Amino acid sequence: MPRWRIPTCASAALAAAGLLLSGCANPSVGSANDDPTKPVTLKFWHGWATPGEVKAVNDSIDRFEKLHPNIKVKATGNVSDETINQALRAGGDKAPDVVSSFTTNNVGQYCDSGMWANLDPFMKKTGLDKKKTFPKTLLDYTSYRGSQCALPLLADAYGMYYNKDAYKEAGIERPPRTMSEFKKVAEKLTVRSGKDSYKRVGFMPNFRFYQNSPDRLFAQWGPQYFDAKGDARLADEPKTYKFFKTADQLADAQGGYDDLERFRLTFGDEMSSQNAFLTGKVAMHLDGEWRGLMLDDAKAKFDWGVAPLPVPDDQADTYGRGFITGTVAGIAHSSKHQNAAWELVRFLTADTDQVVKFANAIHNVPSTFAALKSPKLDADPTFRTFFDILRNKHSKALPPSVNGGAYVVSLQDFSYSVEAGRVGDLRKGLKKLDDQIDADTLQSKS
């Protein structure tokens, strides 16, 4: 189960504890003066909820407690970012010591607000070299303006699943590597059914389709969302125009947005047995590493493979890149046991054996250089394709912002209008989008 699908509702236990507060309170001040060798109980809040994932988390805690018998960890799962943030604003003894989040978009808020402690002093004190431990892309999305307030706790990489049987039927020898190849292959794989419907499309480019959020596709161009001052610059980014043009061309090559959108509305739920890729309605599909395990569990009736998503023709040397995101972990600013909390964070994020076991257990991409090279990792070649995407120096994550993921939602809404042909002047529309993002950023600072 991909982690972004975890429910965002708070548990009844947290509500009963009086931690679902509205507005901002005066948080208690934490402390890094504790002795991590003394007996202590840490509260760890995380978002994993399915039985297999919760078991993997609890197994991780058991391993940690064996190494640190003086530290007990009380874990609470299925906790949303909203609940964590409310608890950290309130502070007090009921707030967590260690926190994790599936939403890298919010790291800018965590760091800028100081709700998550800067981890650089802890790394310096214990000799952890973050640049030698974690890939740069992961460090980028766990920090903001010099504050490393989080560390990566497994990653998600996005690639392209493709139907090998459909390729063979269409006489296609290998996955496309550039966008021009992508359009040709998508058109060749598309099979019509009547005048305005399909038996199968090569690639569904519409942004509302499953994982096709525009920011994930846009990553193949390597865009710069913000300037040095933090102001949105999508209207001044030449790659933005190339991205929308390519998306439009992909749609046109397969019959146009309207026909594709009607076909998309016939698809089953993404996480069900009626998934459009699983049922053969889509031959190429953008998705994360978890999909392979789900295809195996569903006993897909066709042969399938994984490759990186194609890149723009003028950036052919970046082929192998992809969109990167993942879970992050940090220390609550209000914790009075920050040195002990650091021991848990360091174990979960940087202990090679732990990272490998956790990655294998929940089928996510390991987040350290050492774990990526471990012979104990799942040897499935389709799974390992995502390791290469993560390691690719051109792979991109969304840049942190103090407005959290608001700018991503704004981009999504704008992109829906663009693909439907409701934006007459793209540059003018992008200028308004930049203004909206900047206004949201300013409001988040007030």
Side-chain angles (χ1 to χ4, degrees):
M1 184 178 183
R3 290 163 295 167
W4 60 268
R5 297 282 299 193
I6 295 298
T8 57
C9 58
S11 68
L14 296 176
L19 291 172
L20 301 186
L21 307 178
S22 60
C24 294
N26 292 321
S28 56
V29 177
S31 171
N33 296 322
D34 62 298
D35 184 347
T37 65
K38 298 294 184 181
V40 66
T41 297
L42 298 176
K43 294 179 287 296
F44 173 39
W45 287 10
H46 63 82
W48 285 283
T50 64
E53 292 170 336
V54 171
K55 180 181 184 303
V57 173
N58 291 338
D59 288 346
S60 299
I61 291 172
D62 288 344
R63 290 190 286 269
F64 172 77
E65 289 181 341
K66 287 180 180 178
L67 290 175
H68 301 269
N70 63 298
I71 304 176
K72 302 301 178 185
V73 180
K74 181 180 179 181
T76 301
N78 195 20
V79 186
S80 70
D81 276 23
E82 181 182 2
T83 300
I84 290 174
N85 290 344
Q86 289 172 337
L88 295 187
R89 291 189 189 102
D93 294 337
K94 294 179 180 178
D97 299 286
V98 176
V99 287
S100 74
S101 169
F102 299 153
T103 312
T104 60
N105 299 350
N106 289 338
V107 168
Q109 292 178 327
Y110 305 149
C111 295
D112 189 67
S113 67
M115 286 193 298
W116 289 31
N118 187 352
L119 301 180
D120 279 320
F122 297 95
M123 287 186 276
K124 183 177 181 180
K125 183 162 49 177
T126 55
L128 177 63
D129 188 331
K130 63 183 180 182
K131 293 182 179 179
K132 292 182 179 179
T133 304
F134 306 101
K136 182 180 182 301
T137 303
L138 277 58
L139 288 176
D140 288 345
Y141 72 59
T142 51
S143 64
Y144 182 73
R145 294 186 178 271
S147 175
Q148 189 76 51
C149 71
L151 286 178
L153 176 55
L154 299 191
D156 288 323
Y158 284 74
M160 186 185 74
Y161 288 80
Y162 63 99
N163 185 322
K164 289 186 175 181
D165 291 352
Y167 267 46
K168 185 176 180 180
E169 174 190 313
I172 300 167
E173 296 183 356
R174 62 164 176 80
R177 295 172 184 168
T178 64
M179 289 296 167
S180 60
E181 289 182 353
F182 197 22
K183 284 178 282 187
K184 292 176 183 177
V185 169
E187 183 176 12
K188 199 169 185 180
L189 289 167
T190 297
V191 180
R192 281 281 193 173
S193 176
K195 182 180 178 181
D196 57 2
S197 190
Y198 304 84
K199 177 182 177 182
R200 179 184 72 211
V201 295
F203 177 80
M204 174 57 71
N206 295 19
F207 295 130
R208 296 181 189 270
F209 173 56
Y210 296 171
Q211 293 291 319
N212 278 19
S213 179
D215 50 292
R216 291 167 191 160
L217 293 166
F218 198 15
Q220 298 307 105
W221 277 259
Q224 184 180 344
Y225 283 81
F226 303 99
D227 62 20
K229 292 189 261 185
D231 295 331
R233 62 175 305 276
L234 290 171
D236 295 325
E237 171 60 271
K239 295 172 182 176
T240 309
Y241 301 89
K242 294 179 180 179
F243 163 62
F244 281 117
K245 181 179 180 180
T246 301
D248 188 53
Q249 290 173 338
L250 275 169
D252 287 346
Q254 299 172 93
Y257 169 79
D258 291 337
D259 284 359
L260 289 169
E261 184 64 6
R262 278 192 292 270
F263 189 50
R264 184 188 70 83
L265 293 174
T266 70
F267 295 169
D269 184 79
E270 178 184 1
M271 312 312 292
S272 75
S273 61
Q274 296 304 304
N275 174 283
F277 181 72
L278 179 62
T279 56
K281 290 185 174 182
V282 176
M284 298 182 292
H285 175 45
L286 173 69
D287 217 331
E289 73 283 344
W290 60 81
R291 179 59 57 187
L293 187 61
M294 299 177 79
L295 289 169
D296 286 340
D297 289 345
K299 296 180 172 55
K301 297 179 180 179
F302 55 89
D303 192 13
W304 56 273
V306 181
L309 197 70
V311 297
D313 289 52
D314 60 357
Q315 298 186 58
D317 61 335
T318 67
Y319 179 69
R321 78 188 322 171
F323 178 77
I324 305 296
T325 185
T327 301
V328 301
I331 298 173
H333 74 99
S334 56
S335 172
K336 297 185 183 299
H337 314 289
Q338 292 183 8
N339 287 315
W342 166 245
E343 293 302 324
L344 177 58
V345 170
R346 179 168 62 157
F347 174 77
L348 293 174
T349 62
D351 182 281
T352 302
D353 188 57
Q354 160 59 22
V355 173
V356 169
K357 287 180 178 178
F358 196 32
N360 285 341
I362 67 172
H363 210 69
N364 285 145
V365 178
S367 44
T368 68
F369 289 121
L372 284 164
K373 296 176 182 176
S374 173
K376 297 179 182 179
L377 270 176
D378 188 332
D380 177 4
T382 58
F383 186 34
R384 287 180 172 266
T385 298
F386 294 97
F387 304 171
D388 294 334
I389 293 172
L390 176 65
R391 281 190 287 249
N392 186 288
K393 66 180 182 179
H394 301 290
S395 289
K396 286 287 185 180
L398 283 169
S401 169
V402 293
N403 81 2
Y407 77 92
V408 181
V409 175
S410 297
L411 174 62
Q412 289 172 340
D413 291 341
F414 178 75
S415 300
Y416 299 152
S417 295
V418 172
E419 69 178 356
R422 296 194 296 268
V423 178
D425 187 325
L426 184 55
R427 182 169 184 79
K428 185 177 179 181
L430 286 168
K431 283 287 189 183
K432 289 183 178 179
L433 175 61
D434 284 343
D435 290 342
Q436 179 184 343
I437 292 172
D438 289 341
D440 290 340
T441 299
L442 185 62
Q443 183 177 359
S444 68
K445 293 180 178 179
S446 61

